[in-house]
Every structure is written in C-alpha cells, then in structure tokens.
Amino acid sequence: MARLSQRRSQRKDGARISQRPFRLLRSPYPPLEILSADQIEAIHLTSLRILEEVGLQFLDDEALEILRGEGARIDPESRMVRMDRGLVLEWLAKAPSQFALEARNPQRNLVMGGNAICFSSVAGPPNCSDLDRGRRPGTLADLQELLKLAQSLNAIHLLAGAPVAAIDQPAATRHLDVYKSYALLTDRVWQASALGRERIADGIAINSISRGLSLEQMSGRPGLLTIVNTNSPRRVDGPMLQGLMEMARHGQPVVVTPFTLAGAMSPVSLAGALALQNAEAIGLIAFMQMVRPGAPAVYGGFTSNVDMRTGAPAFGTPEYAKAVLAGGQLARRYRLPYRSSNVNSATAVDAQAAYESSMSLWATVLAHTNLVYHGAGWLEGGLVASYEKMVLDAELLQEMAEFLQPLEVSEDTLALDAIREVGPGGHFFGAAHTLARYETAFYQPMLSDWRNFETWREAGAKTATERANAIWKQLLADYEPPATDPAVAEAIEDYIARRRPELETNPPP
Amino acid sequence: MARLSQRRSQRKDGARISQRPFRLLRSPYPPLEILSADQIEAIHLTSLRILEEVGLQFLDDEALEILRGEGARIDPESRMVRMDRGLVLEWLAKAPSQFALEARNPQRNLVMGGNAICFSSVAGPPNCSDLDRGRRPGTLADLQELLKLAQSLNAIHLLAGAPVAAIDQPAATRHLDVYKSYALLTDRVWQASALGRERIADGIAINSISRGLSLEQMSGRPGLLTIVNTNSPRRVDGPMLQGLMEMARHGQPVVVTPFTLAGAMSPVSLAGALALQNAEAIGLIAFMQMVRPGAPAVYGGFTSNVDMRTGAPAFGTPEYAKAVLAGGQLARRYRLPYRSSNVNSATAVDAQAAYESSMSLWATVLAHTNLVYHGAGWLEGGLVASYEKMVLDAELLQEMAEFLQPLEVSEDTLALDAIREVGPGGHFFGAAHTLARYETAFYQPMLSDWRNFETWREAGAKTATERANAIWKQLLADYEPPATDPAVAEAIEDYIARRRPELETNPPP
C-alpha cells in the first residue's frame, strides 16, 4: 500500500508528535448511575440535616454578615452557621446549570455543564519529577516547562492551578509570575489561586488584560476559574471565603470542592462521606449565590478513602470510582456542573500509575464530569507533577476523547457490499471500502507502541514511560508560544511591576 | 491504633499474599448502551441479510447435511450455506439464556448469563515470559506454573484454554497432558480444545472423570467450555465444526467467537465489523441448536481494529471498547450469555499494558460480559502469557470485583451521628463509627503500593511490575494442589495411558 508507506515515512521525518486535534467533547452516552433515586435522596436529605442541625463553620466575618442577612442562624462564638433547607435550596437554585468559559484564544473556549467534558492539567503539587532530573521541589522554570507541555498537548482543554509550586519565588508575589506564565505561554482558560482576596483580584486583572476586556465586560463573561476547598469536616477558612466572594462579585466561576477523604476528614462509610461532601458543596454554593445571584459555580467532588493501615490517602481505588459516580448523580440532582479528578497514588510512572489513573478517568467520564481536574500529570497522590505522567495521561485523555465519538451506524458503515465482495477466509485490506477509509478509520496513538516484539526490541525495548520521556522532550523542543499582542504583554508587565512592590510591602495572608 | 499495628505486623510475618476471597460477581449497575435500539436493529438486520444472501461457508460434510435437513440452502461446490432469517431466529431462540457451570469443586461453580461476570485466565499464547527467564516458547512446565498461579489467584473464576502452548510436547497428545494438568492442579471450570472431535472427546472424558460423573450425567450438567472461532470472514473450518458438534451432543457449552478484526477479517468500519461478527455468531449458534436443541452457547465478540500502518492487530483501543459494548447489546438482544476479553497490544508489562488492559476491562464490565476471557496474563496481542501480567491483571480484576459491590446507603452508613460528633476541621480516625468499621471499610490491594516516596525508595523503589514478580514467586512457593481422590487421579492416568498410543498411531487433524 503505497499511501500507507508514505504516511509512515512522514511520521518518521516530521519533528512533530502525532496527536489528535484539540476538540470539545460531549458524552453521547448516558451517565452511569450507581445509586437509585431513593439513595440519592437519602444522601441529599442527610446533607440538609447536616446544614440545618450541625452546621458549617465560616471563618470570615463578612461572609457571616451576608449569611445572617439572608436568615441563616449564626453562633457568634463558634462562627457556626446553620441554614434551613428552604434557605439552602432557594439560593442553590439560582446557580446556572451551564455556562461558557472563554479563553483568550476563542478556539479554546469551553462549555461547563450538561454532557460537556473538559480535561485540565495537573494543579498544586509541591514537587515535580522526570526521568532525567529526578524528583525535586518545583521552581518557576519547572512550572513554565509544564505549562508549555500542557499547551502543546491537544488533549488538555484548560489549565488548572499551578502545575507545580514555584518554590523558588517569594510566596507573597509568586502568583503574579504564575499568572503571567499562563497568560503568555498558553492560550487556554486558566485558574487563579483562591488564597485570599488579593490573589484572586490579581488573577482577575491579568486575565482581563490578556482577554482584552474591562472588568465590567469580564463580569458577564466567565473565563477564569478557581478552586475553593473546604477544610473538611464542616469548616471554611477565611482566605478561601474572601477568594470565593471576590470571584462571585466578578462573575467568575468557583469550583467548590470539599476535601472529604473517607476515614479521615469524613466518615469511613462512603455514603456518610458523600453526605458530608454534599452538605459542604451545596452549602457553599448557596452562600456564593447570596453574594451574587447567578454566579457560576461547579459542584466539586474529591471523596476518596485513606489507607487505614497508614492513614495515607488512596486514589484511583474502587471506592474513589464509586464516589465519583455518586457525586455526578448528586450534581445532576441540583443541575450543577460537576468536577472530579484523574488521580492515583503511585510513586512511579509505572503500571500502577496507569491502572489507578484509568480507574479514575473511566469513572469521571462515566459520571459525565464536566471538569476533569488533574487530567494530566498528577502523581504520588498529588505530591508530584510528573513530566512523563503528563504525556501518559494525554494518551489516556485522547483515547477517552475517541471513545466519546459516537459509533456511526449507516448503510455505508454497515458495509454489506464490502462483506459481499470479500470471499470466505479472505481479506478486507484490499477492498474498495477499506481503501476509501483506512487513513482515518482508527485512533492512532501518540504513546502506545504496537510494533512486534522483535522490532520493539531492536528499537531499544523502551517502556511506555521511557517513550513518554522522549515525547515531552520533543514537545518542549517544538514548543512555540501562542501569538500575543505586544500591547497586551506590556500591559501585563506593567500591572505586575506596579503590584510586586505593593505585595512585598503588604504580603497577602 | 493498636489493632492497626497488629494487623500490619501480621501481614509482614505471614507468607501468604493478601487477596480478596473467591466470590461470584453480579453487576448491580445497568449495562452501558452506546447504540440506540434502532442502531442495534440495523446491525441485526444486516447480519440476517449476510446469512440469507451472502452466506457462511461450512467446511464439514456432516454439518452441511444437518443444515440441509433443516432447510438451509447449500451450494455443494462452494459449501456455502444460506439461511433464511426465520430459520436462523427459530433455532437461535432455543439456546438457553443462562446456565450453571459446574467445577469439580462445588465452591467454584459458576453462572453464565444475566448480570453474572466471570473472569478467566489467559489462553492460547505460544510464548510465555517473566522478568527472570525472559520471553520464550512455552513448555508443559511453564503451562503448569501458570495454572498453579491461576489457581492461586482468587480473582480468577475459571481457566480458559492452555495458558501457554506446551510446545515441548507432541502435537498429537499434548492436549491429554494439558487436560490432566487442569484436572489435578486446579479445582475450577476448565476448557477443552475444539480442534477436532477427538480432542473434545478426550476433554469431555477427563472432565467427567474429574467430576465423578458418567457421560450421561454430565450431559445435563455443563462444566467444560470450549471456544469455537470462525475463520472470518464467513468461513467455519471443519475441525472446529466437529468440535462444536461433539460439545453440543454432550450438552457442554460452546463459546462461538468470530475473529473479526476490522480492516483485516472484517470491514474497516466498526458497524460493518459488528454486522459480520453478529452474522457469524448467531449463524453458528443457530446451527449448534440444530445439533442439539437447548445446547448451551455463549455469544463471543472479538472485534477490534488493526493498525492500518502495519496490519498488526490492536487491542485495548477505543474502537475495541466500543465493539465490546455494542457486542454486549447484541448478545442481550438474543438473550444469550456474552463473552469478550481483557486484551492489550503492549510488548512489556508497563504502563501501556496497564492502560490498554484497563480500557478493555472497563468495557467488558460495563457491557455486562458474562465471560471475560483472557482475564489475567495476556500480553503482546496474545503472543505471550506473562507471569507478571497475570498478577497485575489479578489486581485489576479484584478492583473491578470491589467496584461491583453496591454502595450501601443506610442510616448507619450515612453516619449523621459521627458527623455530629467530629468538630469542624477535626478528624474521623478516632470516631466510634470509624473504629467499628475501619478494618473492612476499604479495598486493600495486593499489588498497589501506597507508601510515601521515602519509604518506597528505601524499600528498593520497585515498580509495580517488579512487585508483581515477587508476588508470583511467593504464590508459586505457597501453592498447594487441591485435594483429589486418589481413585480419580488414577482413572485419569488410566484414560491417558490408553489414549496416548491410540493418538500416536492415528494423530488427530
């Protein structure tokens, strides 16, 4: 087949890594429902009783004032907030069930909600690692390399928080350098840190500059995300509340994610952990609507279990998969967009990392997770951002994206004529029906090696992890920054030049 | 926690590998339906047209006589058989929708059909491999080691065909040694080779001896499996037909599995490949019912794609996952038990092996596959049975088994009192609710390592594959053969002693 050989040689000569194009995903399949409607209702009702009878602690006076004003019962001493179910459900209903997320490049715009599925890069690890340089605390240079990688991988729809902490930068101003890196090295939706009002305000400012919008314009156009974690059980810290209120007031979406590891920060039984997760998520999203009705919010789930022998968190477990699926059912009950994560507990980019991530990823997709957080690069329970894992995960994401393309059944694809044409025991390689379709018929992997054993051995017998190492190096070598209007880049520099001394003088919390 | 430390030290001292118990599985979740009823009907109708208008070639005169007698149209020259849809559907309806599969140990009895899910060991590779001895052609000693491993892994419900070919044994009598190995080294359901009537007859004889049944008794009690592959497209070889008829006449189940790789043995479009798979599967199962109405049969699917650049088969791909799910819908349309497989194309037991197997396994389980073939040990597109992969897969199977345990929602598991008891930002480790449940609350893995990086590194920084290597050695060291009545063992030896010279004199095809 002449055309096949031609294509093969192009792949060998070309410097670029073969990838599927960037594309928006919608699940054509029904979500997997592992709980009955009655069971979901029981969790829902328990979470309402938690909010009514037990309460959430809000560690911020401004938030407490707002809650008091809307009729919540506040214990001033303990700052415990109790909300009747009517109050919770009335406000919760004001959150939009779906919203658009605008990137600075309109081709990277996303939809959050319904059956749309978006994959993000990893966020938050203090360390990074790759096969060449080993495991190390993150620096701004590492963070920028990981952002370039994420930008280069078409399977990644948006950037989550900092892919690794830039430990080498001062804590008070680090977020400015991170935001600038997002804004100039990538063209996708990104995320600000909800650690206090000021870090959010800087994110909103830099995001608006990069999108060429005034703050007023931006207010009606969501395009910056943040994650607000509760300090489970039943506590919401002050800086997080300040960040949440700042985002709400600017019409930017908050992903409210209780950190409810079963057996540690929540009950050892999954149903109880989900009830607590649900109470914290809907309680906080209801509060966000009090700050600004209609503010975009995402229901986040992060319920997994701990290893009861050591207390270490475990991810990508059967319990995690169930929690992700049940969480999707709960989010759909409130018609809220849903976030869960591609997580694992492996220490190396090995078979365990792959099967735990696969367990997580299948659950996220079957749950109709709208925002699959930590989609690529997360390792070691979130302590490490791995370069090789980012490539490995991008392969998993691409495969899942392909799985979400509907199987076409038509006279053409049923191929009765081709079946008639090829004799018993014959071969379809040469059939006209095959020749017309073979180039695009099947998924072509980026990482998987399907060569036979001898060829694979002669080529160095490289494992998938070793091949991932070569791929990220190639991607970094091929990286080109997205085009940026010099005036925009200058405005970002100006903003940062003004803010840096302010933050150095008055460090945020 | 004193009890936790005690349990940890027990694990260190104990020689046995920690495993979940052997248990029957039923999916409590709805199957994932990726095609609409209309689309399934279109595939069904196309397959009926293939059977009516195009035909299947049956390369066996006895089979042709039976088909002619029931009204099929036969072309004597080409031995092409065309069956009207009424004929196909009338006979197909006689196949049972569910049946019991009896092992020699009643505790290993299985159910085939409905929402029951059974995992088998790998079958058929010519080679085996492990980290110590490398990749090599199989021997009877390797086969027996792999059988001992499968017997030792509780996640494996039944044995498929020979886990590796015993290349060192003469082809004419090899099956006798394989059957004896199943019958004496394991206590589970096993499989005979459908390569001709004689190999099946020997399997039935040895199986009946091992179960203490006469052939008449066995006839109503399925307990021996075989796989019949078509020689796709549209050809059924003579020895396979002889094997199928012999099984049907003895009331033993046949797993009819067309070998329809899209782009090679079937159309490049998945819908066409499924139409051909369906025609061959239901055509042959209908024929089986003509041989003996009510004979137990399983609808097998093996549709995947080839790599169009090299022609190599690809497994564990997005296309494979879709074919598995659509195949499940087709089997359910006919109320037939369903078989699909845990397959991959990786050359090493690495991350690719894990993510391709995970892709396959998730699809099999979501499809309500009753017989998950090649459940543990398959590598390199079926060219290799891997010792480490068998352990890795057993971990995946255990995790899936755990995922299939329903999430319990009750007043007890909703844990409102525990949530009330633990203060904001507090910890559930010490809660009474936790202490009463922590020992059995969560899945404990056999292979996954959840220790922190430092501990893992100090313990040798072993990858999952290296840990799997240690586990199979431990399992083989701990292996004990199941108790066998000496009279049964003697009867098997007698049978083989009589048959061996007969087969040496008149080798089967």
Side-chain angles (χ1 to χ4, degrees), chain B residues 149-446:
Chain B
L149 268 186
Q151 168 73 12
S152 304
L153 288 161
N154 297 339
I156 297 176
H157 292 106
L158 74 163
L159 306 161
V164 70
I167 305 284
D168 60 336
Q169 302 299 312
T173 58
R174 186 185 296 165
H175 63 282
L176 296 177
D177 300 293
V178 174
Y179 298 161
K180 182 177 125 183
S181 303
Y182 291 135
L184 298 182
L185 299 178
T186 81
D187 64 356
R188 302 186 190 179
V189 170
W190 50 272
Q191 176 179 324
S193 162
L195 206 61
R197 201 197 61 77
E198 295 205 78
R199 288 193 177 86
I200 286 293
D202 287 332
I204 291 171
I206 293 173
N207 190 270
S208 71
I209 298 170
S210 79
R211 292 163 64 199
L213 301 176
S214 69
L215 291 184
E216 293 67 39
Q217 289 171 321
M218 182 166 161
S219 166
R221 296 167 66 174
L224 181 75
L225 279 171
T226 198
I227 301 280
V228 164
N229 291 123
T230 54
N231 185 346
S232 304
R234 300 191 291 112
R235 173 177 286 166
V236 198
D237 290 327
M240 283 284 177
L241 285 166
Q242 285 287 327
L244 177 145
M245 290 187 285
E246 187 73 6
M247 286 289 276
R249 285 170 179 145
H250 287 84
Q252 299 305 304
V254 174
V255 184
V256 175
T257 311
F259 193 45
T260 40
L261 290 178
M265 298 84 116
S266 74
V268 76
S269 46
L270 274 191
L274 287 164
L276 183 60
Q277 167 191 296
N278 199 59
E280 296 181 356
I282 67 175
L284 210 45
I285 293 174
F287 165 68
M288 191 178 168
Q289 302 305 310
M290 296 175 189
V291 178
R292 170 166 162 160
V298 177
Y299 179 117
F302 205 75
T303 297
S304 192
N305 56 301
V306 295
D307 180 354
M308 294 308 291
R309 294 179 295 132
T310 63
F315 296 106
T317 60
E319 290 82 7
Y320 178 73
K322 289 183 202 176
V324 165
L325 289 158
Q329 291 186 253
L330 289 164
R332 280 194 294 282
R333 191 200 177 288
Y334 308 113
R335 294 188 181 76
L336 290 171
Y338 179 50
R339 167 251 160 124
S340 62
S341 309
N342 173 14
V343 287
N344 70 90
S345 302
T347 34
V349 184
D350 62 357
Q352 180 184 337
Y355 68 69
E356 289 184 340
S357 273
S358 292
M359 175 71 89
S360 298
L361 190 59
W362 268 96
T364 66
V365 168
L366 294 170
H368 278 197
T369 301
N370 306 111
L371 173 57
V372 178
Y373 212 64
H374 306 303
W378 156 296
L379 195 67
E380 232 187 84
L383 292 176
V384 166
S386 157
Y387 287 60
E388 284 84 18
K389 181 66 162 38
M390 188 174 278
V391 172
L392 169 62
D393 283 332
E395 175 78 62
L396 300 187
L397 300 183
Q398 283 200 153
E399 293 195 3
M400 207 47 95
E402 192 64 24
F403 175 70
L404 292 174
Q405 306 310 308
L407 199 169
E408 189 196 333
V409 180
S410 63
E411 198 176 314
D412 178 59
T413 61
L414 284 164
L416 183 57
D417 288 341
I419 292 168
R420 226 186 279 275
E421 172 188 340
V422 178
H427 218 289
F428 284 80
F429 265 157
H433 186 267
T434 306
L435 290 171
R437 289 163 187 80
Y438 74 93
E439 284 195 286
T440 56
F442 304 130
Y443 174 72
Q444 283 291 343
M446 172 174 68

Side-chain angles (χ1 to χ4, degrees), chain A residues 199-242:
Chain A
R199 288 192 177 86
I200 285 294
D202 287 332
I204 290 170
I206 294 174
N207 190 271
S208 72
I209 298 169
S210 79
R211 291 163 65 198
L213 300 176
S214 68
L215 290 185
E216 293 66 38
Q217 289 171 321
M218 183 166 160
S219 165
R221 296 167 65 173
L224 181 73
L225 280 172
T226 200
I227 302 280
V228 165
N229 291 123
T230 53
N231 185 347
S232 305
R234 301 191 291 114
R235 173 177 287 165
V236 199
D237 290 326
M240 284 282 176
L241 284 167
Q242 285 287 327

Side-chain angles (χ1 to χ4, degrees), chain A residues 4-137:
Chain A
L4 281 182
S5 333
Q6 191 185 356
R7 178 168 163 171
R8 193 155 56 244
S9 64
Q10 278 174 353
R11 282 171 53 95
K12 269 186 192 157
D13 299 337
R16 302 280 173 175
I17 301 296
S18 156
Q19 288 186 67
R20 307 294 282 185
F22 182 98
R23 53 181 169 176
L24 298 184
L25 301 177
R26 287 188 177 278
S27 175
Y29 312 130
L32 180 60
E33 313 246 305
I34 64 165
L35 294 181
S36 68
D38 283 353
Q39 290 175 313
I40 288 293
E41 208 57 16
I43 294 173
H44 163 70
L45 292 173
T46 302
S47 66
L48 292 179
R49 287 189 64 190
I50 295 169
L51 291 171
E52 278 179 344
E53 303 169 20
V54 194
L56 302 186
Q57 189 184 44
F58 281 69
L59 298 183
D60 182 84
D61 290 336
E62 188 186 353
L64 289 172
E65 273 317 300
I66 293 170
L67 285 156
R68 190 193 319 276
E70 299 301 343
R73 286 170 283 131
I74 317 285
D75 179 331
E77 193 91 3
S78 65
R79 304 208 266 182
M80 193 63 74
V81 176
R82 293 183 176 82
M83 292 186 265
D84 292 337
R85 59 191 66 199
L87 185 67
V88 173
L89 297 175
E90 177 198 336
W91 286 102
L92 191 63
K94 298 183 197 292
S97 59
Q98 183 167 315
F99 53 88
L101 260 182
E102 293 183 21
R104 70 135 145 148
N105 175 353
Q107 294 183 311
R108 310 296 188 216
N109 288 352
L110 304 171
V111 170
M112 195 59 44
N115 62 351
I117 297 181
C118 302
F119 298 128
S120 91
S121 50
V122 60
N127 306 294
C128 62
S129 99
D130 62 69
L131 289 185
D132 301 286
R133 293 169 290 185
R135 184 182 190 270
R136 57 197 188 271

Side-chain angles (χ1 to χ4, degrees), chain A residues 4 8 233-234 264 269 272 308-309 319 322 350 352 355 405 413 422 425 428 443 448-450 464 467, chain B residues 4 8 233-234 264 269 272 308-309 319 322 350 352 355-356 405 413 422 425 428 443 448-450 464 467:
Chain A
L4 281 182
R8 193 155 56 244
R234 301 191 291 114
S269 47
M308 294 307 292
R309 293 180 295 131
E319 289 82 8
K322 289 184 203 177
D350 63 356
Q352 180 184 337
Y355 68 70
Q405 306 309 308
T413 60
V422 177
F428 284 80
Y443 173 72
S448 304
D449 191 335
W450 293 340
R467 297 195 300 273
Chain B
L4 282 181
R8 193 153 59 244
R234 300 191 291 112
S269 46
M308 294 308 291
R309 294 179 295 132
E319 290 82 7
K322 289 183 202 176
D350 62 357
Q352 180 184 337
Y355 68 69
E356 289 184 340
Q405 306 310 308
T413 61
V422 178
F428 284 80
Y443 174 72
S448 305
D449 191 335
W450 294 339
R467 296 193 302 271

